[in-house]
Amino acid sequence: PIHRFDTVILGAGAAGLFCAAQAGQRGLKVLLIDHAAKVAEKIRISGGGRSNFTNRDLDVRQPHKHFVGQNPQFCRSALSRFGPADFVALVDRHGIAYHEKHKGQLFADHSAEDIIAMLMAECRAGQVTHWQPCTVSAVSALDTDAHGQRFQVSTAQGTVHCRHLVIATGGLSIPKIGATDLGYRLAQQFGLALVPRVPGLVPMTFDGSAWAPYAQLAGLALPVVIGTGSKKTRMTFNEDLLFTHRGLSGPAILQISSYWTPGTSIDINLVPEVDVAAHLLAAKQRSRKLIANELASLVPSRLADAWVAQDADWQRPIAEASDKALLRLAERLTRWELTPTGTEGYKKAEVTVGGVDTKELSQQTMEAKKVPGLYCIGEVVDITGWLGGYNFQWAWASAAACAAGMADG
Ligand code: FAD
């Protein structure tokens, strides 16, 4: 027998769950399919288990400020109709306690499970049918049959016909918990263009021997200003940097990684709050300390020690150092330029940059312009948010836009 639904949603992650709930509550008969045993594994591990579910600082009139992609303006329509305040209202209705942590980031007080339970309750209110775990073997277009059905979805639990098919299979990061390229393959099958995919919000790696002097700093964290790109594309972030055994991580690196082009450099100001040159030249006049000890008043002493080890001119009492050597040291600390060899890849990335080209989709409804009834939402689309709750907000907003579009269409 053929199962018939108005809407089939592939992927029960953030976007798929929310879209299913919204569409169901608008009266559509919805089937939600996921190959993983559990729903929303990424919500479960997000924000260190507390889920940074949105960001209060998101300016819905200027979303391009917090989103990356070939056309970040694409997300404006959906975000202006379903913004952070709308999601917060839902969280409030479910009585989930939350708090703001840093730069507008909202986290659940107790657990990410509360957000998942909320989405499941919303799905129940929409009488959503779940098939999970259930693999999808093929999708094909139907010559519209008598019921107005446009797609056939072949799955381990049988064949389904539906009027709307929603691709909500997410990105490629963390394959261990269920990420696959199904969404991209389906988009291609239906003739939708893809923007090349690369890992985003990801730690960076450096050449083994060149990195050796810094490997001893693993575990050290400090606030920096980090930048990449030339004049027109220049992007900077004021965030914490973390040294690791293989390279650099922390919010500063994760943020800049989404903007970094392989082969180009990044630059880091390790002492953004102080005029280092003036500080060192003044210290030279009055101090008997070693340069490393003077530096230790500006940066963690482990960093100061590793830094002066790079140049014999820096391994002496500051009173005996030449002005030139001190200026060079200041320059090196405040404009540390380095070229990453790569990133830790999808195994460690929080998101995938690139995806279904927004040119293919309606910004009102997320429907594919050339394939009526086919929708793409969430991370599978070429819209990537900054670290800090922006990616979930895009998942909620694109899901809501899609559900409204399907109910009206
Ligand atoms: P997903 O939530 O990834 O859901 C996709 C679903 O599709 C999954 O359930 C998957 O099993 C299913 N699927 C995939 N392939 C198939 C297939 N072949 N057949 C059937 N089903 C399939 N963002 C934030 O905003 N705040 C955070 O705090 C945050 N923390 C994060 C922490 C980590 C470690 C990671 C990896 C990401 C984090 N993100 C965070 C990013 C965020 O999780 C994603 O951007 C978001 O989940 C995307 O939603 P989505 O619904 O598009 O995709």
Side-chain angles (χ1 to χ4, degrees), residues 11 13-15 34-35 46-47 52 169-170 174 178 180 182 350 378-379 389 391-392:
D34 201 298
H35 69 155
S46 68
N52 176 194
T169 45
I174 327 272
T180 75
L182 176 66
E350 286 201 8
E379 200 181 314
N391 284 295
F392 280 142

